[in-house]
Amino acid sequence: MNRIRSVLLGTLAAVLLAALAGTALVLVQGPEAEAAGDSLPLPPDMPRLAIGPQYEECLGRLRRDPEGALAFAEAWDGAGGGEGAKHCGALALLATGETEKAAERLEQLARTSAGSTPARAAVYAQAVQAWMLANQSGRAFAAATMGLTIAPGDLDLMMDRAVALGTLGRYADALGDLDRVVAADPERAEAWVFRAAALRRLERVEQAMAAVDRALRLAPENAEALLERGIIRQLRGDTAGARADWQRTIALAPDSAAADLAQQNLALNEAGPQRR
């Protein structure tokens, strides 16, 4: 995957799966702002809003010193740094936990930027993810929709909008976006995971199992896929299989949001029968 979403996907995946779960075996918890601070900056292949050494230096500082990057961006912006300074500053705010402020700035920048369509779409995607981390799913949906008006084929934005739709309880709409993603890129494992969750929430459990099996064929050690398959197995009465999947989730990604949810599911599984 590209863009900032490679950093945030683990958290967003668990958030979407939690929102789509519809079962007492998954406890919905909002994403934590500090998740944005882990190895935040843009990969080198992402379309840039600006060029030049100051932009690259500011983005590079995000990796090791987000507060320093914020100070650098603010000083640079005050000296006429333009879109590059504003973009780096917004990402630095996200990295330091100011998720709502970062989302507002990223969305405004994506809307008004003179940059290329791919670069603007990438910034819209960052705004979507920042809104999600700020627990503002409605704003995330709106930002994703605006991004898709300028880049209707952007699969990352479709994925991000599906996440927002799932947390809003709009499962059929989320499934529509996910269907478009897997039609365009059938090798995208995380899209199959999210699709499985949406199908299950729509009570299409057998189709959900087929989708998560597809995800695990593509990525056998995908923690979110194992979390989801465990939920489906539990719904089908396969308690032992569910337990094995959740234990594997924790072993593969012990510090992830998916592992936290798997641990909660295991505890509830041990405490008594499934409740809906």
Side-chain angles (χ1 to χ4, degrees):
M1 282 180 295
N2 53 18
R3 302 182 181 169
I4 192 176
R5 72 190 316 279
S6 62
V7 176
L8 302 179
L9 178 64
T11 295
L12 294 181
V15 170
L16 179 63
L17 293 177
L20 295 178
T23 169
L25 285 178
V26 175
L27 304 181
V28 179
Q29 295 192 356
E32 297 179 0
E34 56 265 29
D38 298 333
S39 186
L40 178 67
L42 312 171
D45 62 345
M46 187 199 122
R48 298 311 213 231
L49 285 180
I51 58 173
Q54 287 176 298
Y55 189 44
E56 298 304 323
E57 180 180 351
C58 192
L59 295 179
R61 288 190 183 202
L62 287 169
R63 290 185 172 87
R64 60 185 184 275
D65 182 13
E67 292 183 355
L70 180 59
F72 182 96
E74 288 175 344
W76 181 27
D77 191 28
E83 290 187 359
K86 294 182 190 307
H87 187 211
C88 187
L91 292 175
L93 285 169
L94 182 58
T96 56
E98 295 284 345
T99 52
E100 189 163 339
K101 187 181 294 186
E104 289 173 346
R105 293 192 184 184
L106 287 164
E107 187 175 318
Q108 173 68 14
L109 184 58
R111 187 164 46 244
T112 61
S113 172
S116 68
T117 294
R120 290 178 63 204
V123 178
Y124 267 121
Q126 292 168 348
V128 173
Q129 294 149 21
W131 282 124
M132 289 297 299
L133 289 168
N135 295 312
Q136 295 282 347
S137 300
R139 296 291 298 268
F141 167 75
T145 301
M146 285 189 288
L148 286 166
T149 64
I150 66 166
D154 190 299
L155 300 185
D156 287 333
L157 276 169
M158 287 185 203
M159 285 281 296
D160 292 337
R161 188 167 70 172
V163 172
L165 285 165
T167 62
L168 290 168
R170 294 173 57 182
Y171 311 114
D173 291 334
L175 182 61
D177 275 344
L178 294 165
D179 283 346
R180 286 186 283 275
V181 172
V182 298
D185 183 4
E187 303 300 303
R188 187 174 285 227
E190 73 273 16
W192 287 104
V193 179
F194 293 171
R195 188 173 183 274
L199 284 164
R200 177 175 45 74
R201 188 59 183 86
L202 292 168
E203 299 186 355
R204 293 158 62 180
V205 176
E206 296 309 312
Q207 289 174 279
M209 180 60 88
V212 79
D213 282 345
R214 176 70 175 268
L216 285 165
R217 286 197 297 273
L218 292 168
E221 296 191 342
N222 183 298
E224 286 78 28
L226 288 162
L227 171 66
E228 168 63 18
R229 190 173 68 177
I231 299 166
I232 296 172
R233 282 178 161 174
Q234 179 71 27
L235 285 173
R236 298 171 82 188
D238 181 6
T239 301
R243 186 183 304 112
D245 278 342
W246 294 331
Q247 289 171 340
R248 184 64 175 154
T249 297
I250 295 165
L252 286 171
D255 298 322
S256 68
D260 289 344
L261 289 168
Q263 186 62 60
Q264 293 170 33
N265 290 354
L266 284 168
L268 286 167
N269 185 281
E270 292 298 323
Q274 178 186 354
R275 300 182 305 276
R276 288 191 62 87

